[in-house]
Amino acid sequence: MGRLIINVAMTVNGAFEAPAAEPQGGWLVTDPHSMQAGLEMWQAADAMVLGRRTYEGLAAVWPQLANVPGFEAYAARMNGMPKYVASRSLTGPLEWNATLLDGDLATTMRRLKDERDGNLIAPSAGEFARNLIAHDLVDEFWFTVSPYLWATGPRIFDDIGPVRLELVNTTTFPSGIVRLCYQPTP
């Protein structure tokens, strides 16, 4: 049985949208250790699960990064892994090694978790993630927290809760990035 994991990069105060690497003036901090840990996470994933907006955004970027120095392994994994997309407006077939999920989200996701082994990673903090949480489908939350307070952008999981979480693992990287892994508790 697959485990559904929401994976989000964010600031300390929960901003999550459109990060840029720190030298370009954004909030996303990276270092070789956290980049390697992120790559290993994606390499261990069985598939990616996405809402329409995230799918469209990632599908527009990752194919372009295939030959960018330092991103080759990451792009190969992101571009090659199976993806499942929940959407009320898209029609198939989809590009970027993606399959459109049909029907009720809760029923479809439970079936997908039953059919797939391993980690099903959902890089999401918007409407799709809120729906997964509301239907009690999430097995773990992985937060990669950049050491910034950021004044703009939406905040992670606005209007969600209460959801009690249990800390499973913490990893601190030399750059000040902290990766937090939580499981929902009953």
Side-chain angles (χ1 to χ4, degrees):
M1 177 173 210
R3 294 180 327 133
L4 182 60
I5 300 165
I6 290 182
N7 179 50
V8 181
M10 59 189 246
T11 64
V12 171
N13 63 329
F16 69 90
E17 193 169 80
E22 191 173 14
Q24 286 83 27
W27 60 260
L28 183 64
V29 175
T30 61
D31 64 47
H33 303 287
S34 66
M35 291 293 287
Q36 182 61 36
L39 177 59
E40 290 169 3
M41 177 212 52
W42 285 110
Q43 289 172 331
D46 185 56
M48 194 182 307
V49 183
L50 306 157
R52 179 193 53 81
R53 288 185 199 115
T54 304
Y55 164 74
E56 290 175 339
L58 295 178
V61 172
W62 280 106
Q64 311 308 315
L65 296 175
N67 297 316
V68 174
F71 284 94
E72 300 93 344
Y74 236 114
R77 183 61 184 144
M78 298 298 278
N79 292 327
M81 74 185 314
K83 296 155 199 82
Y84 297 93
V85 181
S87 174
R88 292 179 294 267
S89 59
L90 292 176
T91 58
L94 300 179
E95 298 179 3
W96 198 46
N97 197 25
T99 302
L100 186 62
L101 296 173
D102 293 323
D104 174 71
L105 177 65
T107 303
T108 302
M109 287 305 304
R110 284 186 185 95
R111 184 173 52 246
L112 183 61
K113 287 173 66 172
D114 286 342
E115 293 171 357
R116 301 292 303 219
D117 289 327
N119 293 337
L120 304 170
I121 306 292
S124 178
E127 179 184 356
F128 179 62
R130 287 192 297 275
N131 285 326
L132 295 173
I133 295 165
H135 287 94
D136 196 28
L137 295 165
V138 180
D139 298 297
E140 287 189 13
F141 294 87
W142 295 352
F143 303 116
T144 302
V145 183
S146 284
Y148 265 97
L149 297 175
W150 202 254
T152 61
R155 301 293 179 235
I156 191 167
F157 305 137
D158 282 345
D159 304 321
I160 292 280
V163 177
R164 175 79 172 116
L165 303 174
E166 176 184 343
L167 183 64
V168 175
N169 189 355
T170 303
T171 306
T172 303
F173 296 98
S175 61
I177 297 168
V178 178
R179 178 165 294 146
L180 304 167
C181 300
Y182 289 95
Q183 291 178 340
T185 61

